[in-house]
Amino acid sequence: MSLAILNKEIRRIHVIDDDPEVRGAYLEHVKDMDVEGIDVSNSIVNIESLFSTIDTEHDGIICDYQLTGRKYSACNGDVFGKAAYDRHIPFILSSHFKPLSLGGQRRYIPKAVAADDFGIDAVREAFELCLGEYQGSFSLRRRPIRTLVRIEGMKPYGAVYQLNVVVPNWNPTDGVQILIDASSLPDLSKLQAEIEATGEARLTAEVNTGATDSNELYFSEWKSL
Amino acid sequence: MSARLSVLDVGHGNCSVFREDKHVGIIDAGRGPYASIFIESSGITEIDLIVISHADDDHLAGVIGLLSSEKIKVNKIRLNADAMKDTKIWRDVRELLQSQHNQGKISVELGIFQGKLHWSGNDVSLDVLAPSIYNTLSGVGGKDESGKAITSNSGSVVLRVSHKGGKSVLLASDMEDQTLQNILDSGQDINASVLVFPHHGGRPGSGSVEDFTDRLIAAVKPSIILFSNGREKHDNPRPEIVSRACAQGVSYIACTQLSKNCHISPLKQQPGSLLFSAGADEGKSCAGTIEVNLESGQCHGGQTEAHKAFVNVLSSPMCRSTVVATAAANEIH
C-alpha cells in the first residue's frame, strides 16, 4: 500500500482535524488512494509533538485549517503547513471557510482547498506541488517572483498588520487584503508615515504573480525599494 | 547561435525578446510574471535594452517584475513616456525607475522617436518607424502632423528588428490607422518579413478593420503574421483581420493563445510541445511563444509542425489554410 509521486513513495497519510467525523471522511479518501491512514485523534500539544510521529521520507499530511476550537491543537493548520514545508513533507490544507486566508503562510502551503473541492485528485495534486517545490521546481502559479507591491493601507492587529495591497505586475487594478507579521516588514515607521502622507507606499516582495486567483497569492521576503 | 526573436505567450499583451550572441533586448514586457520567468528560465542574467512602446499595462506591467528582480540586471530602458498617464501603475514604474537610477543600477532614456536605436550587436539593427519627432514632441493628448489627437495607442512605438541578411520583424505594438498613415506619409520603408500584428488583432482605432488590415499588409508585405493575443480578453484576433490576411496571401499565421473563435473550449496540448506559455496549464495556448530566426525570417521549424498538428484538431481554426500550406512547403524543403 503506497502512493508513488515524483519518485517518492508515500506509505502513510496523517489526517488532522478537530472533528472526528471529518477525520473519518478524510480517512475514507486515504483508503481509496490505497495508502495507510493515520488518525491523529489525540490533542496536538505543539509542532514537535506532532512531527515526532511523522516519517519525513514516506508520510504525507491532510490537515484542516481551523484546529484550535475544541482544545484539539495549540495552533491552526497553516502553522503545521509551514512546519511540513520546512521538513519537506507533502501536505494539503482543507477548510470549510472561503476565502482561505492563511495568516501569511500561503508561501508554504502549495495547495489549499475548500472542503467541497477536497478529494483524491486534490491530494495528489497538492503532494505533487509540494514535492516539486521541495526539489526547487515551481508551477507557473506558484513561482516566487520579486516584484513591486503598492501598499494603500495598513492596520495593526497586535504583532500582525493587515495590509491593503496591489501587485501591479499581477493585477494593476484589483487589490487584496493580507495579514503580515510586523517583523517581516522593513522600516515600519517610514512605511506608516508614507501611507499617512500620500495614501500609498511601495516595497518589493517575493510574490507568485502567476497565480490565477487572489486566494493563491503569497508574499514573502519584503524589502525596501 | 543565430539571432532570434521570441514573441512570448504572455496572455493578452505584448512582449518580444530578441537575442544576438550574448546581447538581449526586450520590446514591451506584457503583464504578469511571464517576461521574468522566460528570462530567468532561459538563463539570461543581463538585459542590454528594454523598450516600452507605450504606457498601457498590457505592455508595461511586466517591466515591474524585470526591474524588481535581483537575478536580472537591466542596463538600459527607453520609454515612450506618457504625460497624460497618471495611473497608479505608471507611478509604480516611475518610483521604481527613480530608485534604480538613484542607486546607479540603470540608464533611463526618455523619449523615443523615428530613427536608429543603438544596439550592441553586429548583425541586428533596430529602427523606430513611429512616432515621429514631431509627434513625440507633441506627445499623447497633443496633435499629430495632420491635426488629429495623439492617443496612447496611436502614439505607440512601431519598431523593426532587422538582420543584416535582409530579413526583419515589425513589432507594431498598438499602432492605429493614424500611426500607419503617419509612417506612410513620412516615406519610410515599412517592409518586413514578419509582422506582429497591432493591438493583438483587435480593432485598430475607429476606422474600418478590413481597410486597415489591407493597407497594413500591402505596406509591410509580410510572409508571416503573428498575433500576441490572450484567450480571456476581447476574442482576438478578429476574424475579419485573419480573413483579410489569408486573402492577401500571407503564407503563415500563428497566435500565441487559442482564440475562442477557433475552438470554443480550452484544449491542453501534450507536455513539451510548446516552448513557453502563459496559458499551457489551462489549455489556453495555441502556438505559445513563437520563435523567429532573424537571419532566415522563418519560425522555428519544429514549432511550426507542432502548431500544424494542433490546428488540425481545432473545430474552426481561422488560420488553417496558411498553416497547412506552410507545413507542406516545409515537407518539400
Side-chain angles (χ1 to χ4, degrees):
Chain A
M1 284 173 57
S2 67
L3 175 68
I5 297 177
L6 295 182
N7 299 323
K8 185 129 179 164
E9 191 186 350
I10 309 293
R11 295 175 188 161
R12 303 188 305 174
I13 295 179
H14 298 253
V15 170
I16 302 171
D17 196 299
D18 58 340
D19 184 338
E21 282 189 24
V22 177
R23 285 201 308 275
Y26 288 154
L27 285 166
E28 284 300 313
H29 286 294
V30 174
K31 195 174 163 188
D32 291 343
M33 297 173 82
D34 202 23
V35 176
E36 181 187 353
I38 306 292
D39 184 357
V40 181
S41 55
N42 294 329
S43 293
I44 304 167
V45 181
N46 56 36
I47 292 172
E48 288 311 319
S49 70
L50 173 67
F51 283 90
S52 64
T53 65
I54 292 174
D55 174 1
T56 56
E57 281 301 309
H58 300 293
D59 287 3
I61 299 172
I62 294 171
C63 186
D64 190 62
Y65 176 60
Q66 287 273 336
L67 300 175
T68 55
R70 306 181 197 194
K71 296 185 179 174
Y72 173 75
S73 166
C75 45
N76 278 326
D78 57 329
V79 176
F80 294 135
K82 166 79 163 61
Y85 201 92
D86 289 343
R87 291 161 175 80
H88 290 191
I89 298 165
F91 182 93
I92 182 169
L93 192 79
S94 175
S95 174
H96 56 278
F97 288 101
K98 287 183 183 177
L100 290 159
S101 174
L102 302 177
Q105 304 285 19
R106 196 65 169 91
R107 166 69 181 85
Y108 309 103
I109 300 170
K111 180 109 180 146
V113 294
D116 288 348
D117 298 327
F118 185 87
I120 291 175
D121 291 343
V123 175
R124 176 175 271 281
E125 187 191 348
F127 286 9
E128 280 176 0
L129 287 170
C130 287
L131 293 171
E133 291 188 18
Y134 301 156
Q135 293 167 16
S137 171
F138 289 81
S139 69
L140 270 180
R141 289 161 73 153
R142 285 278 304 167
R143 188 175 177 125
I145 300 283
R146 179 156 296 282
T147 192
L148 177 143
V149 179
R150 187 194 320 135
I151 302 166
E152 298 189 351
M154 61 190 298
K155 196 172 177 182
Y157 291 96
V160 173
Y161 272 84
Q162 177 183 293
L163 303 183
N164 299 335
V165 303
V166 174
V167 185
N169 191 24
W170 177 69
N171 185 327
T173 49
D174 295 339
V176 292
Q177 284 190 331
I178 57 173
L179 295 174
I180 295 292
D181 274 346
S183 60
S184 65
L185 294 169
D187 216 339
L188 202 53
S189 54
K190 186 183 166 199
L191 193 65
Q192 284 170 316
E194 208 173 330
I195 292 171
E196 276 175 26
T198 67
E200 57 191 36
R202 291 168 178 84
L203 298 173
T204 69
E206 301 268 346
V207 184
N208 54 331
T209 47
T212 54
D213 191 285
S214 59
N215 290 331
E216 298 172 5
L217 280 176
Y218 64 72
F219 299 77
S220 63
E221 311 296 325
W222 293 84
K223 289 185 180 177
S224 301
L225 276 190
Chain B
M1 186 177 285
S2 300
R4 61 206 152 126
L5 181 143
S6 304
V7 178
L8 265 56
D9 173 6
V10 292
H12 176 80
N14 275 107
C15 178
S16 297
V17 177
F18 61 99
R19 288 170 273 184
E20 181 187 2
D21 301 323
K22 291 179 180 173
H23 301 292
V24 179
I26 298 181
I27 314 298
D28 285 338
R31 190 178 180 189
Y34 309 110
S36 300
I37 293 172
F38 179 82
I39 292 295
E40 281 184 24
S41 59
S42 301
I44 296 167
T45 55
E46 189 168 344
I47 298 166
D48 297 72
L49 173 68
I50 295 177
V51 174
I52 298 298
S53 68
H54 64 299
D56 282 353
D57 69 68
D58 56 329
H59 296 251
L60 172 73
V63 83
I64 290 173
L66 293 169
L67 294 173
S68 305
S69 174
E70 293 172 333
K71 299 173 184 169
I72 304 165
K73 181 177 186 323
V74 179
N75 293 328
K76 185 194 281 188
I77 185 165
R78 290 202 65 164
L79 293 109
N80 188 16
D82 186 341
M84 296 293 282
K85 289 264 182 206
D86 192 28
T87 56
K88 288 184 174 179
I89 191 170
W90 188 229
R91 292 208 297 276
D92 294 333
V93 172
R94 285 152 63 185
E95 281 222 22
L96 199 49
L97 285 173
Q98 182 70 64
S99 166
Q100 299 245 321
H101 176 71
N102 289 349
Q103 295 173 57
K105 289 182 177 173
I106 192 169
S107 163
V108 182
E109 293 186 15
L110 303 178
I112 183 164
F113 45 81
Q114 185 189 321
K116 288 276 181 203
L117 210 55
H118 175 75
W119 174 246
S120 308
N122 296 319
D123 297 342
V124 171
S125 60
L126 308 176
D127 296 284
V128 176
L129 305 180
S132 63
I133 289 179
Y134 184 96
N135 287 357
T136 299
L137 291 174
S138 180
V140 174
K143 307 276 188 189
D144 71 2
E145 289 98 323
S146 62
K148 289 181 181 164
I150 300 170
T151 64
S152 287
N153 284 351
S154 70
S156 61
V157 170
V158 177
L159 190 144
R160 184 170 53 198
V161 182
S162 303
H163 191 273
K164 68 180 182 184
K167 303 295 184 184
S168 56
V169 179
L170 186 71
L171 302 167
S173 186
D174 282 356
M175 83 184 291
E176 296 187 345
D177 197 39
Q178 178 184 342
T179 326
L180 176 61
Q181 193 58 51
N182 289 157
I183 294 171
L184 296 176
D185 288 347
S186 71
Q188 294 178 89
D189 170 20
I190 193 175
N191 189 285
S193 334
V194 180
L195 169 64
V196 179
F197 204 89
H199 214 196
H200 328 287
R203 182 172 279 285
S206 55
S208 156
V209 175
E210 288 88 346
D211 287 352
F212 172 76
T213 306
D214 286 347
R215 276 160 35 80
L216 179 63
I217 294 175
V220 179
K221 302 179 188 68
S223 54
I224 294 172
I225 290 182
L226 306 176
F227 293 96
S228 183
N229 63 319
R231 179 173 172 84
E232 303 301 336
K233 275 214 165 185
H234 309 307
D235 278 345
N236 290 330
R238 295 178 72 93
E240 60 267 45
I241 291 176
V242 181
S243 166
R244 297 307 305 169
C246 292
Q248 291 231 27
V250 171
S251 63
Y252 180 62
I253 293 172
C255 298
T256 52
Q257 291 210 349
L258 177 59
S259 167
K260 288 175 182 168
N261 293 317
C262 297
H263 204 79
I264 195 68
S265 54
L267 196 57
K268 285 192 182 184
Q269 301 189 43
Q270 290 291 323
S273 58
L274 297 168
L275 289 180
F276 171 85
S277 169
D281 289 349
E282 279 95 29
K284 295 178 189 170
S285 291
C286 190
T289 290
I290 303 164
E291 192 170 290
V292 179
N293 181 320
L294 286 169
E295 188 171 7
S296 68
Q298 294 299 311
C299 293
H300 187 282
Q303 194 181 21
T304 310
E305 286 299 313
H307 181 223
K308 176 204 163 193
F310 183 63
V311 164
N312 274 336
V313 301
L314 302 179
S315 56
S316 53
M318 295 185 284
C319 68
R320 189 196 297 271
S321 62
T322 68
V323 172
V324 171
T326 300
N330 285 347
E331 281 167 18
I332 291 165
H333 292 301

